[in-house]
């Protein structure tokens, strides 16, 4: 596991707890609602570290019509600096599992950009 500061680690754990609560409340049951959660996270006013941690967890996991697949904490720690750079460049993307979408590969996965216009095709 990549070494990160305790503050970043605690922010990732807090972000995972927040996202777990959203999943329990049904806010991420479908691809469209999961994408909305990610976009709202990008636009929300929150401490920078928490926002980075939330987006790290969201972009490290997979969004599908079966809900959000939470990534391991070690995976989030590995992706923290990459997510931070992508946030600055406005180049974040999500891994989406939707076999019925035209953009999906043979396994049903595709990446979707967070910024810009996104169309969910069925």
């Amino acid at each position: 596991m990549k070494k990160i500061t305790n503050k970043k680690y605690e922010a990732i754990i807090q972000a995972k707890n927040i996202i777990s609560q959203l999943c329990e409340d049904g806010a991420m049951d479908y691809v469209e609602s999961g994408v909305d959660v990610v976009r709202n996270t990008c636009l929300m006013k929150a401490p920078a570290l928490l926002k980075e941690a939330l987006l790290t967890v969201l972009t490290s996991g997979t969004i599908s019509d079966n809900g959000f697949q939470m990534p391991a904490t070690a995976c989030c720690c590995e992706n923290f600096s990459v997510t931070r750079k992508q946030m600055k460049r406005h180049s974040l993307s999500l891994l989406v599992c939707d076999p019925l979408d035209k953009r999906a590969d043979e396994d049903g996965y595709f990446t979707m950009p967070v910024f810009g216009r996104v169309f969910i095709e069925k």
Side-chain angles (χ1 to χ4, degrees):
M1 185 165 89
K2 189 175 181 178
K3 288 217 173 212
I4 61 171
T5 64
N6 281 340
K7 284 185 178 183
K8 289 179 184 177
Y9 182 79
E10 289 169 4
I12 289 172
I13 298 301
Q14 183 182 6
K16 288 182 78 168
N17 290 335
I18 291 168
I19 293 168
S20 291
Q21 187 61 45
L22 286 172
C23 291
E24 287 176 14
D25 294 343
M28 298 187 71
D29 285 348
Y30 301 100
V31 172
E32 292 87 353
S33 58
V35 171
D36 288 342
V37 167
V38 175
R39 288 217 169 125
N40 290 337
T41 302
C42 291
L43 299 173
M44 76 178 199
K45 294 190 181 212
L49 187 61
L50 177 61
K51 196 173 189 179
E52 289 171 1
L54 282 166
L55 289 171
T56 298
V57 174
L58 290 167
T59 57
S60 298
T62 304
I63 297 175
S64 70
D65 278 338
N66 294 329
F68 180 71
Q69 297 171 1
M70 188 70 72
T73 304
C75 178
C76 295
C77 293
E78 291 286 329
N79 292 335
F80 194 87
S81 62
V82 174
T83 302
R84 187 178 213 168
K85 288 177 187 173
Q86 289 177 345
M87 281 177 62
K88 291 178 181 176
R89 296 181 186 141
H90 293 275
S91 62
L92 280 175
S93 59
L94 304 172
L95 182 62
V96 178
C97 177
D98 189 357
L100 301 177
D101 195 290
K102 295 175 185 173
R103 298 168 287 182
D105 62 8
E106 62 273 358
D107 296 325
Y109 292 92
F110 65 96
T111 56
M112 177 186 299
V114 173
F115 302 104
R117 296 182 77 183
V118 176
F119 299 101
I120 307 284
E121 299 177 16
K122 293 271 178 173

